[in-house]
Amino acid sequence: MAVKVYGPTYASPKRVLVLLIEKEIEFETVDVDIFKGVHKDPEFLKLQPFGTLPVIQDGDYTLYESRAIIRYYAEKYKHQGTDLLGKTIEERGLVEQWLEVEAQNFHPPIFNLVINVLFAPLLGAPSDPKVIQESDEKLGKVLDIYEERLSKTKYLAGDFFSLADLSHLAFGHYLVNQTGRGHLVRDRKHVSAWWDDISSRPSWKKVLQLYKYPV
């Protein structure tokens, strides 16, 4: 039975889709138009009571929060497709560490930039210049730390592609291509090489081909 993924055009669900492709897991998608408020409909709220994306259904099993979903499938299908967790408990620890870094340090400023630079104008809402400036500064500091790390290892958790790298693709795409801030990556030699590596993976290219971003 195929895994059902809701909201494939949006960024966070793409985190799940690229994982499923890497793990060679069959899936199908269900469109959810957040611009029309479908994510707040009572039927959707039965699946995801917070009204956010993504959510998956796997038979009678329902799971939401993209990083929880990718951890679940990476573990469940550890020996199928690409191993994204590392081969030792120490490598797994580093994968989890950098996955948390992505969630707690990289994601908040880039999310704020996407909302204020891309979505606010589209929705006719005002952007917050202060939030934009603070987010730019925070993201620069985060990427300085990435630059140092990636000067020593090919990928964030070591010399192997993992969940930690994969989790950056969905919003990293916005950063490099659509917010006018590609220089934050390109001005950092090792971060730039790392981005070119992970974003050229066939799995990510397939996601972009099949599911265009809404903006």
Side-chain angles (χ1 to χ4, degrees):
M1 183 179 296
V3 177
K4 188 179 295 185
V5 183
Y6 287 78
T9 60
Y10 303 102
S12 290
K14 284 180 170 59
R15 184 177 287 121
V16 174
L17 295 174
V18 69
L19 176 282
L20 295 175
I21 294 170
E22 288 281 351
K23 298 303 290 182
E24 300 172 4
I25 300 168
E26 185 180 353
F27 66 89
E28 59 187 50
T29 59
V30 179
D31 289 331
V32 178
D33 191 340
I34 64 173
F35 294 102
K36 294 182 179 178
V38 174
H39 60 307
K40 300 299 183 183
D41 286 351
E43 284 304 308
F44 185 81
L45 292 174
K46 290 178 183 178
L47 296 175
Q48 217 299 18
F50 298 100
T52 59
L53 295 166
V55 58
I56 64 98
Q57 288 181 298
D58 192 344
D60 59 0
Y61 184 64
T62 301
L63 192 64
Y64 51 83
E65 295 297 339
S66 62
R67 294 173 192 83
I69 296 169
I70 64 174
R71 283 179 166 111
Y72 168 73
Y73 283 112
E75 184 65 48
K76 182 175 181 178
Y77 295 96
K78 182 172 174 58
H79 301 294
Q80 175 176 313
T82 307
D83 181 3
L84 298 166
L85 298 174
K87 292 180 168 49
T88 67
I89 191 66
E90 288 77 18
E91 288 181 348
R92 174 67 178 270
L94 288 170
V95 171
E96 293 291 347
Q97 170 185 282
W98 284 99
L99 193 52
E100 285 297 312
V101 169
E102 182 273 323
Q104 304 299 329
N105 296 279
F106 176 84
H107 182 75
I110 184 56
F111 180 80
N112 284 337
L113 286 171
V114 168
I115 294 300
N116 280 276
V117 174
L118 296 178
F119 278 87
L122 192 66
L123 297 171
S127 297
D128 188 328
K130 183 180 178 182
V131 169
I132 291 174
Q133 180 181 352
E134 290 175 349
S135 298
D136 280 336
E137 292 171 355
K138 288 177 183 177
L139 200 52
K141 291 177 181 178
V142 169
L143 292 176
D144 283 342
I145 294 171
Y146 279 40
E147 179 70 6
E148 172 65 18
R149 172 61 176 172
L150 292 166
S151 72
K152 300 173 182 176
T153 58
K154 185 176 182 181
Y155 300 103
L156 289 171
D159 290 323
F160 61 99
F161 179 75
S162 75
L163 285 186
D165 308 290
L166 177 148
S167 196
H168 287 79
L169 285 165
F171 279 87
H173 180 84
Y174 272 133
L175 173 63
V176 174
N177 298 292
Q178 291 168 263
T179 59
R181 284 160 174 77
H183 66 278
L184 290 174
V185 169
R186 297 307 177 196
D187 289 348
R188 294 166 172 84
K189 174 184 174 182
H190 297 99
V191 174
S192 183
W194 166 76
W195 175 256
D196 286 343
D197 183 315
I198 67 173
S199 64
S200 65
R201 293 182 72 84
S203 58
W204 182 241
K205 288 183 175 181
K206 185 173 182 179
V207 169
L208 293 179
Q209 179 185 4
L210 293 175
Y211 308 104
K212 306 297 184 186
Y213 277 79
V215 291

